[in-house]
Each structure stands twice: as C-alpha cells, then as structure tokens.
Amino acid sequence: MNSNKTFFEAQQWAFSFIEKQGLESSAADMLLYGEMGFSTTEFLMHLRQPMPQKNWEHFQNNVKLYCQGWPAQYLLGSAYFYGLKLTVTQATLIPRPETEELVDWVISGNENTSKKVADIGTGTGAIGLALKSELSTWNVTLTDISKEALKVAHRNASDLNLNVTLRQGDLLEPLNDGPYDIIISNPPYISQDEKKNMDCSVLLHEPQSALFAAENGLAFYRQIAEQIPQYIHANSKLYLEIGYTQGKSVVGLFKRAFPQAEVTLKRDITAHDRMVRVIFK
Ligand code: SAM
Ligand code: GLN
C-alpha cells in the first residue's frame, strides 16, 4: 500500500523536522536512501512517486529517533567505510572517516608484496576488510576481544566475499601464528576525563568498551608495546590510530620501548595528530 507522500515530500518533511531541532539535515537523505536501498540516481528517478506506507512509517520513526540522538548508521544497520557497505550494530563502533586515512597510509607504503597482516580490535572489520578488498593477496587476520563485534566482522567478511581469518582474544594474544609483517590497530583511546566533552549520541549509543581506555587513554598503546616483540620480525611495521592530543605520548612510549625503531607521527586532513607508524629495526 502506498502512502499519500511522494519521496520528494517525504524528504522535505524530514529536512524541516530535523532542522527544527537544530540538527544536521543531511541525515534526512541518508535515512531516506537507506530506507529504500536507493542510490542518489534511483532516488531522483522516484522523486514524484508515492512512498510505500510501511517505509514512510518506518522512515518517520527513524527521523524522530535520529533527533533523539540515535546515530543514523545504527538506525539503518549499516555504514560506509572505504567504499564498502558494512553492517554495524551497537556491539561495534561506527567506523570513522579519519580511520580511512589510516588505511590509506598502510596501503601507500606497502602495496607491492603479499603480506601477513593483522587488524587488532577490528569492530565491524572496517580496517582489515578495506585492506583485503584493496590488496587481495594479503593474508589478513581480524581480532577483537568482543564476540559480538567479531560476529559482525564475520558477517561483513562473508557479505563482501572477502577471505580473512577471524580470531577472538585480548590484544595481540590471538596472533600466535606469527610473525606478522604489519599490525594495525584503532584501539579504544578516550580517557574517562573526556566524557564531559563527548557528543551524547556517541556516549549513549556506542559501546563503551570500544571507546575508553585507562591510563589517560594510553593503556592499549602501552600493552601493545610490551607484547609486540614476540609477534613481529626485524622489519615489521605497526600502524596505530591515536587521539589528537596523544601524539607526543604515543611517540615517546614507542621510542623509549624501541630506541632503534623509526617512529612517525601523522596528521589527519583536519590537521590533528591522528596516526603513528613504528618501523621496527
Ligand atoms: N577497528 C574498528 C574501527 O576502526 O572502526 C573498531 C575500533 S574501536 C575504537 C576498538 C575495538 O577494540 C572495539 O571493537 C573493541 O571491542 C576492541 N577491543 C577493546 N579492548 C580490546 C582488547 N583488549 N583486545 C582486543 N580488542 C579490544
Ligand atoms: N575517534 C572515535 C571518537 O572520537 C574514538 C575511537 C577510539 O577510541 N579509537 O569517538
């Protein structure tokens, strides 16, 4: 059964509903296209057609939930990362655009030979699956301590037909089939003190176990530095996403632990310190 709203009218309704709440109205398109599985072109082709009643009701409900602080990606159950459509649930962090820059950095320095690679704390599988989709000869392992997150990563790997290994466990522990050439991680790195500055939609809906870390947000970097020698070889590389205030601390931590290593800090496109690479020697 059709509603009495065309897709155009539904879009206009959502724009004004969201704007009235003082929120970013571009979410209207994301929720509408996601509701129907439309590309932009498909949406334009359907503009003057009536929206099915069921979708109209579901869409209105999602727009209202979005205005109450629900991230649009959880409402749709999916998010885009590095051109891949990934399933997301509340067991997984919604992959962030800055993490795509970490993937770029890994790819740009290492395209040529096949590599044994691990993505630690994979969540939806975003980093590891993006790498496997770009560099099909790589042998990629995805790990997470959360069984629920790993189920989502497994589903994404099979939906995208990407052949990767999945392992559950604490930090580097699952990598007992090493040594690994490249280890990548976007671990939890937010300090509890930062809670007061955080967006409610992140705090209320995203998994705390994906966000917060002890020791001013540095605990996972310290543990990785301690554990990593047994999982790597002489020229292995480690790539980490970091919080924008953590550059100095993380670089210092790895320089102290590995005085011979080459440790590089990199900014994201908004000019914030965002990534660290360690080339072991
Ligand atoms: N890699 C994904 C991304 O970039 O979108 C998710 C990153 S999220 C910030 C951190 C992930 O690390 C979460 O999925 C969380 O479950 C996982 N995690 C937390 N503690 C862990 C631990 N001790 N060992 C392995 N994974 C852990
Ligand atoms: N960048 C994410 C945020 O700001 C946090 C990711 C993380 O802790 N690794 O919410």
Side-chain angles (χ1 to χ4, degrees):
M1 198 178 71
N2 284 329
S3 67
N4 61 3
K5 288 269 184 267
T6 63
F7 286 101
F8 177 71
E9 287 164 343
Q11 182 196 41
Q12 296 308 306
W13 168 81
F15 276 155
S16 78
F17 192 95
I18 295 173
E19 266 166 14
K20 268 188 210 142
Q21 320 279 325
L23 294 166
E24 177 49 59
S25 64
S26 61
D29 282 344
M30 188 172 173
L31 290 169
L32 185 53
Y33 297 4
E35 177 67 36
M36 302 309 300
F38 283 163
S39 64
T40 314
T41 322
E42 284 166 335
F43 172 69
L44 293 174
M45 281 163 51
H46 287 82
L47 218 49
R48 305 287 163 194
Q49 291 175 9
M51 187 167 182
Q53 179 67 20
K54 252 188 155 170
N55 294 113
W56 167 233
E57 281 169 18
H58 191 242
F59 173 62
Q60 287 178 88
N61 199 38
N62 274 352
V63 169
K64 289 172 189 166
L65 289 170
Y66 170 75
C67 289
Q68 290 165 21
W70 276 86
Q73 294 89 340
Y74 287 146
L75 296 171
L76 294 171
S78 61
Y80 286 88
F81 182 83
Y82 221 84
L84 304 177
K85 185 178 181 185
L86 299 173
T87 291
V88 296
T89 73
Q90 280 191 280
T92 61
L93 188 89
I94 298 165
R96 305 289 203 265
E98 51 270 31
T99 308
E100 294 179 332
E101 296 186 55
L102 181 69
V103 172
D104 280 337
W105 200 17
V106 176
I107 292 176
S108 65
N110 301 289
E111 296 98 335
N112 291 331
T113 52
S114 64
K115 297 253 183 320
K116 190 170 172 70
V117 177
D119 170 16
I120 306 302
T122 195
T124 53
I127 297 172
L129 294 176
L131 291 170
K132 183 68 183 176
S133 76
E134 295 291 317
L135 299 156
S136 61
T137 61
W138 282 18
N139 172 345
V140 178
T141 298
L142 313 179
T143 82
D144 208 287
I145 199 157
S146 154
K147 274 191 189 146
E148 289 307 309
L150 219 49
K151 273 189 207 159
V152 176
H154 185 266
R155 173 167 173 192
N156 283 323
S158 65
D159 287 350
L160 294 164
N161 215 359
L162 294 169
N163 185 11
V164 294
T165 305
L166 292 114
R167 297 222 175 110
Q168 196 219 341
D170 188 11
L171 282 187
L172 305 185
E173 235 170 56
L175 306 187
N176 47 21
D177 62 338
Y180 278 73
D181 301 312
I182 302 178
I183 297 176
I184 305 132
S185 187
N186 171 18
Y189 57 63
I190 302 179
S191 120
Q192 291 287 342
D193 299 348
E194 283 174 65
K195 254 188 182 166
K196 55 184 181 302
N197 307 323
M198 287 172 72
D199 198 339
C200 274
S201 75
V202 175
L203 265 180
L204 291 176
H205 300 290
E206 300 207 68
Q208 305 260 318
S209 54
L211 295 168
F212 295 102
E215 301 168 32
N216 285 326
L218 298 170
F220 289 102
Y221 305 116
R222 180 186 56 74
Q223 290 172 44
I224 290 172
E226 276 170 22
Q227 295 176 10
I228 206 166
Q230 65 187 105
Y231 301 104
I232 55 174
H233 56 67
N235 302 307
S236 296
K237 298 178 188 174
L238 169 69
Y239 290 82
L240 298 167
E241 182 172 315
I242 60 164
Y244 71 96
T245 61
Q246 295 173 328
K248 246 190 173 170
S249 310
V250 176
V251 167
L253 194 156
F254 280 93
K255 281 197 166 155
R256 279 192 301 280
F258 305 98
Q260 312 291 323
E262 181 188 318
V263 183
T264 311
L265 178 64
K266 193 169 158 71
R267 292 180 163 182
D268 61 24
I269 48 165
T270 65
H272 288 115
D273 288 348
R274 184 60 65 195
M275 301 158 250
V276 168
R277 181 186 66 195
V278 184
I279 305 182
F280 296 92
K281 305 273 177 192

